[in-house]
């Protein structure tokens, strides 16, 4: 049976102020609780269907008797009662949800971020909601608008085509914001980022140290981070080594395997073929391996190929990819922890920035 009440004192046999599920009865909001059969209700001290319940012996008290409390907690356990988060949200003005917006939900790097967020969110009773907003589509503003409309408590978002106006909408809604990269600004929430420029610098310097001199670069979507930061590291490493930046060997494509195939086809078809190809992420690099194999080129004997991020597939392809560890799971954990600290704390304080370390991962491809 379902019992509904807006007047706790006339329905519940215990004081509403200590109801185990902290019902909204104190605020005279509607509350629904399923207790099971007529035979089970008296065990909890509840009236049978059709009978009016009585409040405790002292309705003015904020406490109930240990006996009633014990009976209520026992039936809650036996019937598997679950508190209604929506009802609790009416009182707390919280949904206990955290959002993550990524451009490609199939990219293992993004799924690792989501897994890291959940590791922190669930123990604090927050649910993580993951939304996809492709960079080449119109979905990002709509996704942000819908998340804000559903009163998301906190949002983690990358720089994949997001505008300042989008970020300001999130902040203005009262939701807490963490950006995955970009410059720290007090008005735009906290920042978690990896050392993108430094990581690519170390990778290209590693190639130069191994004797490679004509090094191509395949980036992601033009003008979109982290591709630009990684390109800056590539350029800086070549300049530090006294090598020219071969503009004819710099290609911008998507952060996908298909983008890597197309980009590699362009640079490997150059009049003077590169002896190494640096890719802005591992998916691009795997696509480049496909193209090199189709062209009859041996990696790394004819051309070296490197990735970035160190997703699981980087160690499974043949040859295994030389890459840079970009700690996706730790990025997710750090972002979620910042949100939880803001939401469960007083929500104040200056904006924080967390910069996570990278690590070169040498393997067979270079």
């Amino acid at each position: 049976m379902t019992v509904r009440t807006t007047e706790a004192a006339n329905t519940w046999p215990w004081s509403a102020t200590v109801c185990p599920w902290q019902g909204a009865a104190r605020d005279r909001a509607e509350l629904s609780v399923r207790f099971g059969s007529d035979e089970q209700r008296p065990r909890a001290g509840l009236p049978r269907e059709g009978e009016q319940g009585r409040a405790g012996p002292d309705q003015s008290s904020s406490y109930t008797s240990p006996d009633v409390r014990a009976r209520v907690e026992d039936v809650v356990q036996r019937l598997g009662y679950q508190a209604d988060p929506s009802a609790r949200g009416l009182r707390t003005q919280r949904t206990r949800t955290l959002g993550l917006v990524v451009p490609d939900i199939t990219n293992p790097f993004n799924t690792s971020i989501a897994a890291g967020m959940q590791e922190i969110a669930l123990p604090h009773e927050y649910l993580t909601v993951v939304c996809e907003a492709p960079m080449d589509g119109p979905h990002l503003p709509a996704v942000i608008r819908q998340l804000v409309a559903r009163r998301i408590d906190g949002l983690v978002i990358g720089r994949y085509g997001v505008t300042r106006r989008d970020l300001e909408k999130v902040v203005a809604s009262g939701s807490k914001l963490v950006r995955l990269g970009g410059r720290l600004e007090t008005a735009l929430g906290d920042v978690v980022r990896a050392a993108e420029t430094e990581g690519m610098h170390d990778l290209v310097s590693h190639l130069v140290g191994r004797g490679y001199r004509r090094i191509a670069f395949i980036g992601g979507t033009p003008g979109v981070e982290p591709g630009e930061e990684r390109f800056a590291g590539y350029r800086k490493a070549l300049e530090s080594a006294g090598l020219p930046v071969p503009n004819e060997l710099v290609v911008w494509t998507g952060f996908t395997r298909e983008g890597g195939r197309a980009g590699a086809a362009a640079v490997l078809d150059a009049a003077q073929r590169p002896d190494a190809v640096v890719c802005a992420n591992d998916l691009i690099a795997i696509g480049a391996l496909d193209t090199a194999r189709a062209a009859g080129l041996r990696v790394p004997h004819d051309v070296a190929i490197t990735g970035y991020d160190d997703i699981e597939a980087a160690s499974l392809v043949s040859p295994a990819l030389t890459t840079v560890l970009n700690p996706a799971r730790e990025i997710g954990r750090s972002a979620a922890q910042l949100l939880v600290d803001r939401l469960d704390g007083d929500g104040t304080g200056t904006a924080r920035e967390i910069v996570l370390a990278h690590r070169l991962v040498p393997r067979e491809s270079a």
Side-chain angles (χ1 to χ4, degrees):
M1 292 295 107
T2 299
V3 179
R4 297 180 182 274
T5 180
T6 56
E7 294 290 345
N10 293 328
T11 307
W12 301 105
W14 61 85
S15 172
T17 57
V18 293
C19 178
W21 42 86
Q22 299 180 1
R26 282 174 290 182
D27 304 319
R28 297 178 182 271
E30 187 179 57
L31 179 66
S32 297
V33 182
R34 186 171 300 278
F35 282 99
S37 68
D38 248 13
E39 288 70 24
Q40 292 170 314
R41 294 169 58 82
R43 300 175 193 173
L46 299 177
R48 294 179 182 273
E49 184 179 8
E51 298 178 352
Q52 185 177 19
R54 298 180 298 104
D58 180 7
Q59 296 181 19
S60 64
S61 172
S62 297
Y63 302 93
T64 191
S65 71
D67 177 61
V68 171
R69 175 182 286 277
R71 281 184 287 155
V72 171
E73 291 177 348
D74 175 66
V75 79
V76 163
Q77 291 295 322
R78 286 188 289 106
L79 297 180
Y81 171 78
Q82 295 290 324
D84 184 348
S86 299
R88 180 171 61 177
L90 293 174
R91 178 173 58 84
T92 64
Q93 296 298 295
R94 293 275 185 85
T95 59
R96 302 206 72 82
T97 52
L98 305 180
L100 171 65
V101 180
V102 297
D104 181 5
I105 205 169
T106 65
N107 187 328
F109 182 80
N110 294 326
T111 56
S112 292
I113 292 176
M117 283 186 62
Q118 184 166 271
E119 285 183 20
I120 300 299
L122 278 180
H124 290 87
E125 298 186 347
Y126 285 94
L127 183 68
T128 302
V129 178
V130 183
C131 298
E132 181 181 75
M135 287 181 286
D136 56 354
H139 305 297
L140 183 57
V143 166
I144 292 177
R145 183 172 63 251
Q146 290 297 327
L147 288 172
V148 167
R150 285 164 171 74
R151 304 183 66 85
I152 199 85
D153 291 327
L155 184 61
V156 176
I157 189 167
R159 296 161 291 163
Y160 318 105
V162 67
T163 66
R164 185 180 185 89
R165 184 179 180 183
D166 294 328
L167 299 175
E168 288 173 343
K169 286 181 180 179
V170 175
V171 175
S173 74
S175 297
K176 304 304 179 184
L177 176 65
V178 172
R179 292 177 290 128
L180 301 183
R183 187 163 51 90
L184 183 65
E185 296 184 50
T186 301
L188 296 179
D190 300 314
V191 171
V192 176
R193 66 178 181 87
E196 310 282 4
T197 301
E198 295 85 349
M200 184 58 80
H201 180 278
D202 289 353
L203 177 60
V204 175
S205 297
H206 169 75
L207 293 176
V208 171
R210 292 180 64 83
Y212 296 99
R213 292 295 180 267
R214 187 166 170 79
I215 304 173
F217 178 87
I218 304 177
T221 304
V224 175
E225 301 296 354
E228 292 284 353
E229 288 182 338
R230 293 176 185 178
F231 176 69
Y234 158 83
R235 185 180 59 241
K236 183 178 179 181
L238 290 182
E239 292 172 349
S240 297
L243 297 173
V245 177
N247 293 328
E248 71 278 12
L249 296 182
V250 175
V251 175
W252 294 93
T253 181
F255 285 100
T256 63
R257 185 173 186 171
E258 185 56 42
R261 289 171 181 152
V267 299
L268 294 178
D269 195 43
Q272 186 179 353
R273 196 175 66 205
D275 54 7
V277 178
V278 170
C279 301
N281 75 359
D282 290 333
L283 290 181
I284 294 175
I286 292 171
L289 286 176
D290 294 339
T291 297
R293 186 178 300 111
L297 298 175
R298 299 169 300 164
V299 179
H301 305 288
D302 299 320
V303 60
I305 295 176
T306 65
Y308 200 106
D309 287 338
D310 196 27
I311 62 175
E312 184 177 12
S315 65
L316 302 178
V317 295
S318 181
L321 281 174
T322 291
T323 186
V324 174
L325 172 64
N326 194 14
R329 205 174 189 101
E330 184 58 34
I331 288 172
R333 284 194 289 260
S334 297
Q337 190 64 61
L338 285 172
L339 290 178
V340 168
D341 290 347
R342 295 281 186 196
L343 291 165
D344 292 350
D346 60 11
T348 62
T350 58
R352 296 179 58 193
E353 179 182 44
I354 296 177
V355 181
L356 299 172
H358 64 278
R359 177 169 57 84
L360 179 66
V361 184
R363 293 197 181 102
E364 301 163 3
S365 70

